Amino acid sequence: MNSYPYLDAKSHPPFLGDLGDITHEPNPKRLIDISSSPFVHSHQLRAKLEYMHMAGELDGGLPIIKNDVLVGIIPGPDLEFALDHLSEDDAENAMCYLGRPASRYSADSGSPSESMNILESSDAEIGRGLRDGELDFSSCVDPSPMASDIKSPLELVFECFSKLGLRYICVLDGGKFKGLVHKKAFVRYVKELEHQERKGEH
């Protein structure tokens, strides 16, 4: 899309609906569910990242869900960086921790790959240090992603994208995760409205 990621804050079509009108049902391939465990296999993360890339959203993110509640998001570029810096063995077999950030890190961690190899975690969810084959990816997680209620007017959504420079907005309904709207999808929607408006004038 030639105009992506630009949205003209001064000129846009009238919005009549709300955020729910452009929100699709959550796709399991486009989110990370840690309800049963905060550990996710590196292969699963790589597959989700590639699926996101196939959608053309290289700068998107993977929402992290626990019991249908949004607990964070891991930006695609950060996840790709973390996975690309794994050793060959870890890339094949690692279990990646995506819970709350660990409070104590390896004293000699220096490089990006070493900084992910956390030796201990005080997180109450696991209550133990990380074991062999387990890596801490919690530093890649944004625990407070931009989120908006599903009933938010599209006018507000437009303002968020055009003036705050957001790449995506998470959608909530009564605190429950209902989906994610990427800026590219919103730009497409705006273009369709503008096209319909022009057709109506003729």
Side-chain angles (χ1 to χ4, degrees):
M1 300 183 64
N2 292 333
S3 62
Y4 176 79
Y6 178 72
L7 284 172
D8 187 354
K10 296 180 180 179
S11 175
H12 58 80
F15 296 110
L16 301 177
D18 55 37
L19 185 54
D21 294 333
I22 60 172
T23 302
H24 300 291
E25 284 292 316
N27 184 343
K29 295 180 179 179
R30 296 292 300 274
L31 59 82
I32 301 170
D33 192 336
I34 62 169
S35 300
S36 57
S37 171
F39 289 94
V40 182
H41 199 285
S42 56
H43 270 185
Q44 288 181 287
L45 294 177
R46 177 65 74 179
K48 292 177 183 293
L49 182 66
E50 290 175 354
Y51 190 84
M52 185 169 63
H53 284 186
M54 287 172 55
E57 299 177 3
L58 303 181
D59 58 348
L62 292 171
I64 300 174
I65 312 302
K66 186 173 183 180
N67 299 322
D68 296 326
V69 175
L70 179 70
V71 296
I73 194 166
I74 184 164
D78 293 354
L79 178 59
E80 184 171 28
F81 180 85
L83 291 173
D84 287 348
H85 281 79
L86 293 179
S87 67
E88 184 175 340
D89 185 58
D90 284 337
E92 292 293 325
N93 305 302
M95 295 297 292
C96 305
Y97 176 70
L98 293 171
R100 289 177 292 172
S103 62
R104 193 143 60 99
Y105 294 78
S106 171
D108 59 353
S109 62
S111 69
S113 58
E114 289 173 335
S115 65
M116 293 182 296
N117 191 15
I118 309 307
L119 298 182
E120 292 187 2
S121 171
S122 60
D123 194 325
E125 287 180 303
I126 55 176
R128 59 170 173 80
L130 298 184
R131 299 167 181 166
D132 288 343
E134 295 176 348
L135 298 174
D136 194 319
F137 273 31
S138 63
S139 61
C140 301
V141 177
D142 176 3
S144 302
M146 179 64 185
S148 189
D149 187 81
I150 197 168
K151 295 297 184 182
S152 298
L154 287 174
E155 184 73 33
L156 175 62
V157 178
F158 182 91
E159 294 292 322
C160 289
F161 277 126
S162 64
K163 294 183 178 180
L164 298 182
L166 302 179
R167 297 300 185 193
Y168 42 76
I169 294 178
C170 296
V171 184
L172 306 180
D173 185 6
K176 300 289 187 180
F177 179 75
K178 289 298 179 180
L180 179 145
V181 175
H182 191 278
K183 187 175 182 179
K184 278 189 176 180
F186 188 72
V187 169
R188 283 195 293 268
Y189 175 75
V190 171
K191 293 300 179 187
E192 289 172 5
L193 285 183
E194 290 176 341
H195 178 67
Q196 293 171 9
E197 191 177 31
R198 284 193 295 269
K199 286 179 63 177
E201 292 175 353
H202 296 295

